[in-house]
Amino acid sequence: GRAVGASLGLADGAWLGLALGPAVTSYARGAAFVVQKYLERPLLVERLKFDIRQFVLVRSLAPLEVFVYDDFYVRFASVPYAPPTTRAMLGDRATHLTNMQVQKDVDGFNKTVAENQWSGAQLRAHLDARFGAGTWDTRVRPRMLRLIVEAMAAWDRSNHRANSYEIFGVDVMLD
């Protein structure tokens, strides 16, 4: 499989992380890939792990033309997060994965956060209340956009046909 990932530090030591594509489970000698370190201390809301789903359209790789949809949504895990202390704990999908296919059948689904999702406006309001007015607009969003552009720029141009486009659901975590 192919995975592309990156992380970017915020001024106060927090990090943004992004991963695209399937996880690397095996590779051929000399294969090129980037692997991101597991985020051991993710930013939590109500003790729940979350990620931001941001839609991105790539119209061209040469020159790079990336369009990021203004809105996004937030997906939550159903089980309160605890840092994994064993490899087995990483297998707890209800704690570590946020996608709806995993969460919809978990006992804690829809209990702490309605439908395990927030709108972009809800996250912006939460961040502003917790870290100060303008947190999303001045600290998170600009870095997230740069991170997305950097990840798209790393994409192998031979995997993109001329006169076509790709739409990605990019998942971003904060810690």
Side-chain angles (χ1 to χ4, degrees), residues 38 49 77 79 81-84 89-98 103 173:
Y38 178 79
K49 193 171 179 180
V79 175
Y81 177 78
M89 288 178 73
L90 283 173
D92 181 1
R93 295 163 44 105
T95 300
H96 299 290
L97 301 179
T98 60
Q103 296 300 325
M173 293 184 70

Side-chain angles (χ1 to χ4, degrees), residues 74-121:
V74 181
R75 307 176 310 172
F76 288 89
S78 298
V79 175
Y81 177 78
T85 56
T86 67
R87 191 175 221 15
M89 288 178 73
L90 283 173
D92 181 1
R93 295 163 44 105
T95 300
H96 299 290
L97 301 179
T98 60
N99 70 39
M100 189 64 70
Q101 281 303 108
V102 170
Q103 296 300 325
K104 67 183 175 118
D105 296 323
V106 173
D107 186 35
F109 179 76
N110 199 28
K111 289 197 170 107
T112 304
V113 175
E115 296 297 318
N116 282 43
Q117 292 187 0
W118 270 0
S119 68

Side-chain angles (χ1 to χ4, degrees), residues 41-52:
R41 294 185 353 207
L43 182 64
L44 305 176
V45 172
E46 302 288 334
R47 297 182 32 222
L48 300 174
K49 193 171 179 180
F50 69 93
D51 69 13
I52 299 166

